[in-house]
Amino acid sequence: MTPEQEMESWEAFERYRTGKMTGPEKDAFEQEMQQNAERKRELENNRKTQQVMEHYFIEQRMRDALQKLQEREQETRQGRSASCYRALGIYGSLLAAACLLLYLTFAPVSLPDAGYDVTITRSADSAHLSPAQRRAFGHFFEGQAHMAEGQYVRAVYNFEQVLQYEDLRPYFREAAQWHLAVSYLRSRQPYKAGKLYARLNDCEVCEYRINWLNRLKMRWQITWQQWMN
Amino acid sequence: MYTAQEMVEKLRSGTEVEAVTAQLYGQYQRSIREQARKRGIRPDDINDLVQEVMIAFLRNVRAGRFEPRSEGSLSRYLSEIARNLTFKNYRGEDRRDRREEEYQHTQLPPPTPEDLMMERDYIEQSWEIFRRLCTVCQRILTAYYRDEMPMAEIARVHDLGTADAVKVRKFRCIKELKGLLGL
């Protein structure tokens, strides 16, 4: 068979396979296949070749589909991981913020050690203290004792008494004011605490130093109590 | 959603292959992965295994070796293919000792019907043989028979001259393919 004949034979097979061969041509084709063994074998070979191609293309479609499905799943997984991390980041931040707020709300405001005050205030020669000054010191430390016992209303009284004396050293006066502010706060008088705090916070030359964290706690707790009221 | 019978029929006729693949993948890939993990297949290999199971299933269906008796039979069949592929193909160096130890005192089970079904035949050969054709032949035959592009379009897209030239070239590719098949 010449190459051209082979090509024609293949095309005839394709027309027959796809149903495009009809009528007398189809009858003649089928008859020849039945009668001519070689043509029959050729038809069988063509059919097998066609089936191989057909299967290849179907398999290719399945492989392409699988690849797309796996890629999509991979993208989804990565997207989910990114979302997870984002969510964790957000929740983590919220949790940290909540912890900070809880700390600021409930952690007690720490004032400089009273023992130190004793050294400063008591270091003055007690023989040279006036009765008024002696009473002021007494109220101060009594106030501190009441604070330590949780008796803030009594502590308020003590520190208010202290601040009535005019002849107080600046350090001592400021210390008393801070203790009073804290006692106001603890005895649920946030507005008084707020007024006093505002004055103390605005001081230009502060003798009794309170660090920023405790100031922040004070400010937050005053604001919180005012809201709650 | 197709039934098992419908999926088999569509794969045999080559219709809606993508949809059937998506359903098979969606329904069974997790169990195949789980099976693979239990057998210690490396995570990098599990994707390949899933693909191979699906392809093996396709080949068996098209070769007429699988008839679904029930919805469950398809699941069991895929599971069996996965098991066989795991034993045959995924034997890492680091698992050799463990495997030898595991089978030291036991006899390997006799081949199952699925084992026998996995032997090579012309359907399985289709993929390898077609890929042995030259790139141009693969492109022409794919464009004409799979994508059903007209000759003139094939000539233009693949820069192959005229429609007649593509026609002649296509036939030569068919001859080459027949040669590879030993026909």
Side-chain angles (χ1 to χ4, degrees), chain B residues 83-177:
Chain B
R83 191 182 71 90
N84 288 336
L85 279 174
T86 308
F87 281 139
K88 283 181 183 168
N89 296 342
Y90 292 88
R91 296 175 176 180
E93 291 290 325
D94 53 343
R95 288 193 290 276
R96 184 171 293 154
D97 291 341
R98 214 184 322 137
R99 192 179 64 252
E100 284 172 358
E101 195 184 351
E102 190 182 330
Y103 287 103
Q104 207 173 7
H105 304 293
T106 62
Q107 203 172 355
L108 279 173
T112 63
E114 283 74 27
D115 282 337
L116 297 171
M117 285 176 191
M118 298 291 279
E119 63 188 346
R120 294 173 71 84
D121 57 16
Y122 82 95
I123 284 187
E124 192 166 327
Q125 287 172 10
S126 299
W127 184 259
E128 282 112 16
I129 284 175
F130 194 92
R131 306 284 273 187
R132 275 193 235 156
L133 289 169
C134 69
T135 321
V136 173
C137 277
Q138 287 186 45
R139 275 196 259 137
I140 290 174
L141 295 178
T142 303
Y144 186 80
Y145 289 105
R146 191 194 73 175
D147 302 336
E148 294 178 351
M149 284 170 71
M151 295 284 189
E153 182 73 13
I154 296 172
R156 188 185 63 80
V157 168
H158 296 286
D159 199 22
L160 292 168
T162 63
D164 283 337
V166 171
K167 189 175 168 183
V168 170
R169 194 67 195 269
K170 180 187 76 116
F171 177 68
R172 286 200 194 129
C173 292
I174 297 285
K175 269 196 83 169
E176 191 181 323
L177 182 58

Side-chain angles (χ1 to χ4, degrees), chain A residues 12-13 15-37 39-41 43 47:
Chain A
F13 160 73
R15 284 203 312 279
Y16 179 74
R17 180 184 67 83
T18 55
K20 288 177 183 162
M21 190 184 280
T22 56
E25 190 192 6
K26 184 182 172 188
D27 294 336
F29 184 84
E30 283 172 347
Q31 203 174 14
E32 196 182 359
M33 293 304 125
Q34 279 172 7
Q35 289 169 356
N36 190 326
R39 295 285 281 160
K40 192 175 180 180
R41 195 174 55 248
L43 175 69
R47 196 169 280 161

Side-chain angles (χ1 to χ4, degrees), chain A residues 15-208:
Chain A
R15 284 203 312 279
Y16 179 74
R17 180 184 67 83
T18 55
K20 288 177 183 162
M21 190 184 280
T22 56
E25 190 192 6
K26 184 182 172 188
D27 294 336
F29 184 84
E30 283 172 347
Q31 203 174 14
E32 196 182 359
M33 293 304 125
Q34 279 172 7
Q35 289 169 356
N36 190 326
E38 198 182 317
R39 295 285 281 160
K40 192 175 180 180
R41 195 174 55 248
E42 194 189 322
L43 175 69
E44 206 40 51
N45 290 343
N46 287 346
R47 196 169 280 161
K48 206 166 185 177
T49 307
Q50 183 61 41
Q51 282 174 337
V52 165
M53 281 198 292
E54 193 180 296
H55 179 77
Y56 173 82
F57 296 135
I58 291 174
E59 192 170 309
Q60 194 179 46
R61 286 168 64 189
M62 179 173 263
R63 285 176 186 267
D64 288 347
L66 284 168
Q67 192 167 348
K68 281 190 186 124
L69 287 163
Q70 287 178 332
E71 278 169 6
R72 209 180 303 155
E73 206 171 271
Q74 182 74 9
E75 278 169 17
T76 307
R77 227 178 280 135
Q78 281 172 351
R80 238 184 273 143
S81 295
S83 298
C84 257
Y85 285 126
R86 259 199 308 274
L88 270 171
I90 291 169
Y91 290 134
S93 304
L94 286 173
L95 188 63
C99 286
L100 179 65
L101 280 177
L102 281 171
Y103 171 75
L104 290 176
T105 306
F106 296 108
V109 177
S110 298
L111 297 173
D113 196 3
Y116 185 70
D117 292 336
V118 171
T119 311
I120 292 294
T121 57
R122 294 286 192 206
S123 66
D125 184 1
S126 60
H128 290 95
L129 287 176
S130 70
Q133 280 179 318
R134 211 174 287 126
R135 276 198 297 277
F137 288 136
H139 273 300
F140 184 88
F141 293 110
E142 204 177 303
Q144 283 192 322
H146 284 140
M147 280 178 81
E149 289 161 6
Q151 295 175 349
Y152 295 108
V153 175
R154 289 184 179 180
V156 163
Y157 169 77
N158 290 126
F159 294 119
E160 281 177 344
Q161 292 300 306
V162 171
L163 291 171
Q164 281 183 11
Y165 296 103
E166 290 177 6
D167 189 23
L168 294 174
R169 286 171 31 251
Y171 176 90
F172 189 69
R173 177 172 292 281
E174 283 175 31
Q177 285 170 329
W178 276 104
H179 280 77
L180 178 59
V182 174
S183 298
Y184 277 143
L185 188 63
R186 290 278 171 263
S187 61
R188 301 264 172 224
Q189 301 179 72
Y191 292 98
K192 283 186 177 176
K195 261 192 202 167
L196 189 49
Y197 171 81
R199 231 184 319 140
L200 288 167
N201 211 33
D202 285 343
C203 75
E204 288 173 5
V205 182
C206 305
E207 300 273 345
Y208 187 71

